[in-house]
C-alpha cells in the first residue's frame, strides 16, 4: 500500500510546475502533490508522466530522479517504537 502512495505522489510531483531550481520546501512539495492529484486524478497524473517519457525521455528521467529525491521523507511513514 505504501508503494502505491509513493508512486502516486511521484507522478503528481512530476506533473507539477515545481522546478528543481526553486529548491521547494517540504510544504510546497506536499501542496503541489495534493493539487495535482485533485486536478488530474491518479490516472491523469500517470498519463501525463507516460506522455513526457514518450516525448522527452532524457528530460523525464532527470525530472523523475529529482522527484524521488524530493519525496524522501515526505511519504515515508514514521517509525514508532
Amino acid at each position: 500500500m505504501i508503494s502505491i502512495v509513493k508512486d502516486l505522489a511521484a507522478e503528481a510531483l512530476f506533473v507539477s510546475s515545481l522546478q528543481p531550481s526553486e529548491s521547494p520546501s517540504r510544504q510546497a512539495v506536499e501542496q503541489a502533490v495534493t493539487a495535482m492529484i485533485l486536478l488530474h486524478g491518479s490516472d491523469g497524473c500517470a498519463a501525463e508522466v507516460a506522455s513526457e517519457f514518450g516525448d522527452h525521455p532524457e528530460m523525464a528521467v532527470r525530472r523523475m530522479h529529482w522527484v524521488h529525491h524530493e519525496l524522501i521523507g515526505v511519504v515515508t511513514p514514521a517509525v514508532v517504537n
Side-chain angles (χ1 to χ4, degrees):
M1 176 66 149
I2 292 172
S3 66
I4 293 170
V5 172
K6 285 182 180 180
D7 291 345
L8 177 56
E11 291 166 351
L13 182 56
F14 184 96
V15 302
S16 76
S17 62
L18 286 181
Q19 296 299 314
S21 60
E22 297 176 54
S23 299
S25 67
R26 183 175 178 158
Q27 183 180 13
V29 168
E30 291 173 354
Q31 289 174 343
V33 167
T34 300
M36 293 300 98
I37 291 170
L38 292 173
L39 180 64
H40 298 289
S42 60
D43 291 341
C45 288
E48 290 286 328
V49 170
S51 177
E52 283 301 311
F53 269 92
D55 294 343
H56 310 285
E58 59 287 330
M59 293 177 71
V61 168
R62 282 183 284 196
R63 182 156 178 89
M64 190 56 81
H65 178 75
W66 169 77
V67 162
H68 283 286
H69 177 74
E70 286 297 314
L71 292 178
I72 293 172
V74 174
V75 200
T76 306
V79 177
V80 179
N81 291 326

